[in-house]
């Protein structure tokens, strides 16, 4: 194939609009230019992200800035490519009508999640690293994308939640203002125990644990006269990053309470039943038959 024939094929007009001819050469040039410019844009984006993180900027702010940079870069890239190729935007007017019909019939949820994603990144009611409770699931936010938010649950499973659900439904953000979380541990002691001693021992355990915050102050409540026990409730505050850390602190407190109660002869209660029988009971001992 000669250069003359190749030039003839490249100059072939695919369609024309308002005396502007769209040739095969222009159609081939568009993806090549877009690919080259996209490579430069992504390389600059990674460089900017690395620089901002090195300056210890908030990861959530870095994520928002990189998203804005990406959207603006894509818009500039498209307009610049069309300008270089001398292709007016009016040439794609017919495409906009088809897109509008598609949006009207099937893309409402996509657009809703897209807009919700930008609201989440701009208003920041949910940030990267926040500990969320969504329905029955609890986890840490790893990334906020334009369509969905990725959350890592306590069991290590990743969840992808549409952004619109995070705005339209009730979401508990444990770390929206700070990472302080209140928790409690209940323990029941046997009837007849010295309740003042029990309160003193539980307070000692709470004061000795390094993860429990001094303010707000911990407290011990005599919670109830239960069926088989005197119930005490230890309430404390912890600077926790996840539910796993809270569970670990509660486990440590239970170990410590069990140990200190054993040292002071405080009996942890368990269900008991007293049976009263009226009349006489006759016990008969017989030989088992085969």
């Amino acid at each position: 194939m000669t250069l003359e024939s190749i030039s003839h094929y490249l100059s072939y007009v695919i369609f024309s609009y308002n005396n502007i001819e769209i040739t095969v050469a222009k159609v081939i040039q568009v993806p090549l230019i877009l690919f080259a410019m996209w490579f430069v844009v992504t390389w600059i984006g990674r460089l900017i992200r690395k620089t901002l993180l090195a300056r210890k900027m908030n990861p959530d702010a870095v994520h928002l800035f990189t998203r804005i940079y990406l959207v603006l870069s894509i818009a500039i890239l498209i307009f610049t490519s069309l300008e270089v190729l001398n292709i007016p935007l009016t040439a794609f007017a017919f495409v906009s009508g088809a897109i509008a019909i598609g949006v009207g019939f099937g893309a409402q949820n996509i657009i809703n999640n897209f807009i919700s994603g930008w609201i989440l990144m701009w208003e920041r009611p949910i940030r990267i690293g926040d500990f969320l409770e969504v329905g029955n699931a609890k986890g840490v936010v790893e990334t906020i994308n334009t369509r969905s938010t990725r959350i890592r649950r306590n069991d290590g499973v990743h969840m992808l939640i549409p952004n619109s659900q995070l705005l339209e439904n009730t979401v508990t953000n444990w770390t929206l203002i700070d990472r302080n979380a209140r928790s409690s541990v209940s323990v029941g002691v046997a009837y007849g125990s010295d309740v003042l001693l029990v309160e003193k021992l539980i307070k000692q355990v709470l004061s000795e644990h390094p993860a429990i915050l001094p303010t707000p102050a911990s407290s011990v409540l005599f919670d109830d006269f239960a069926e088989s026990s005197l119930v005490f409730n230890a309430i404390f505050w912890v600077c926790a990053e996840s539910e796993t850390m809270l569970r670990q602190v509660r486990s440590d407190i239970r170990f410590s309470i069990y140990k200190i109660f054993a040292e002071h002869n405080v009996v942890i209660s368990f269900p008991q039943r007293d049976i009263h029988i009226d009349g006489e009971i006759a016990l008969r001992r017989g030989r088992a038959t085969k």
Side-chain angles (χ1 to χ4, degrees):
M1 184 177 291
T2 63
L3 292 176
E4 188 175 319
S5 60
I6 294 175
S7 176
H8 174 71
Y9 287 126
L10 292 177
S11 61
Y12 177 77
V13 179
I14 299 176
F15 68 92
S16 60
Y17 183 83
N18 285 346
N19 298 324
I20 298 174
E21 297 179 343
I22 307 300
T23 64
V24 174
K26 288 185 178 182
V27 173
I28 295 175
Q29 287 175 351
V30 168
L32 293 177
I33 293 176
L34 289 178
F35 176 78
M37 296 182 67
W38 179 252
F39 177 79
V40 175
V41 166
T42 53
W43 182 80
I44 295 175
R46 287 194 294 266
L47 182 62
I48 293 174
R49 180 180 181 87
K50 185 182 297 184
T51 303
L52 294 178
L53 291 176
R55 296 184 177 181
K56 301 187 182 303
M57 183 177 288
N58 190 303
D60 197 60
V62 174
H63 183 71
L64 174 61
F65 181 81
T66 51
R67 286 289 175 179
I68 294 175
Y69 163 78
L70 183 62
V71 171
L72 292 178
S73 299
I74 292 174
I76 295 173
L77 188 151
I78 293 174
F79 286 117
T80 303
S81 300
L82 295 177
E83 185 68 22
V84 170
L85 298 174
N86 197 24
I87 301 176
L89 291 177
T90 54
F92 301 94
F94 69 96
V95 179
S96 62
I99 293 176
I101 295 175
V103 170
F105 282 99
Q108 296 95 332
N109 290 335
I110 296 176
I111 299 299
N112 186 18
N113 289 322
F114 179 80
I115 296 175
S116 299
W118 281 103
I119 293 175
L120 290 175
M121 287 186 286
W122 186 260
E123 293 188 354
R124 301 174 66 189
I126 297 172
R127 298 159 300 185
I128 296 175
D130 280 353
F131 182 62
L132 302 184
E133 183 176 351
V134 184
N136 296 326
K138 298 178 182 178
V140 177
V141 177
E142 289 192 335
T143 182
I144 302 175
N145 297 315
T146 51
R147 192 193 67 84
S148 63
T149 296
R150 189 178 71 201
I151 296 177
R152 184 181 181 88
R153 296 191 326 200
N154 297 326
D155 55 4
V157 177
H158 288 88
M159 293 178 57
L160 295 177
I161 302 177
N163 292 325
S164 59
Q165 292 189 13
L166 296 177
L167 291 179
E168 296 172 359
N169 300 325
T170 300
V171 177
T172 303
N173 191 340
W174 289 35
T175 55
L176 179 61
I177 306 301
D178 53 40
R179 297 188 179 276
N180 295 346
R182 191 185 73 170
S183 189
S184 63
V185 170
S186 296
V187 60
V189 298
Y191 274 90
S193 301
D194 186 344
V195 293
L196 297 180
L197 175 61
V198 172
E199 179 187 23
K200 177 183 176 182
L201 295 178
I202 297 177
K203 284 185 176 180
Q204 179 180 338
V205 169
L206 296 178
S207 63
E208 292 176 351
H209 198 287
I212 295 179
L213 300 176
T215 54
S218 304
S219 61
V220 178
L221 302 179
F222 191 163
D223 200 50
D224 195 11
F225 292 96
E227 184 177 357
S228 302
S229 62
L230 304 174
V231 180
F232 287 81
N233 198 9
I235 302 173
F236 52 89
W237 288 79
V238 178
C239 183
E241 297 180 355
S242 64
E243 174 68 12
T244 303
M245 181 177 178
L246 284 176
R247 292 180 62 187
Q248 183 62 51
V249 172
R250 288 194 293 264
S251 175
D252 294 342
I253 292 174
R254 293 187 182 102
F255 274 116
S256 299
I257 288 176
Y258 185 88
K259 179 180 179 181
I260 200 170
F261 277 9
E263 294 173 352
H264 291 81
N265 297 321
V266 176
V267 178
I268 297 178
S269 65
F270 54 89
Q272 301 181 44
R273 294 291 184 271
D274 293 332
I275 299 176
H276 299 275
I277 300 176
D278 295 332
E280 298 180 355
I281 297 179
L283 299 178
R284 179 178 299 174
R285 182 177 182 182
R287 182 177 298 177
T289 59
K290 297 184 180 180

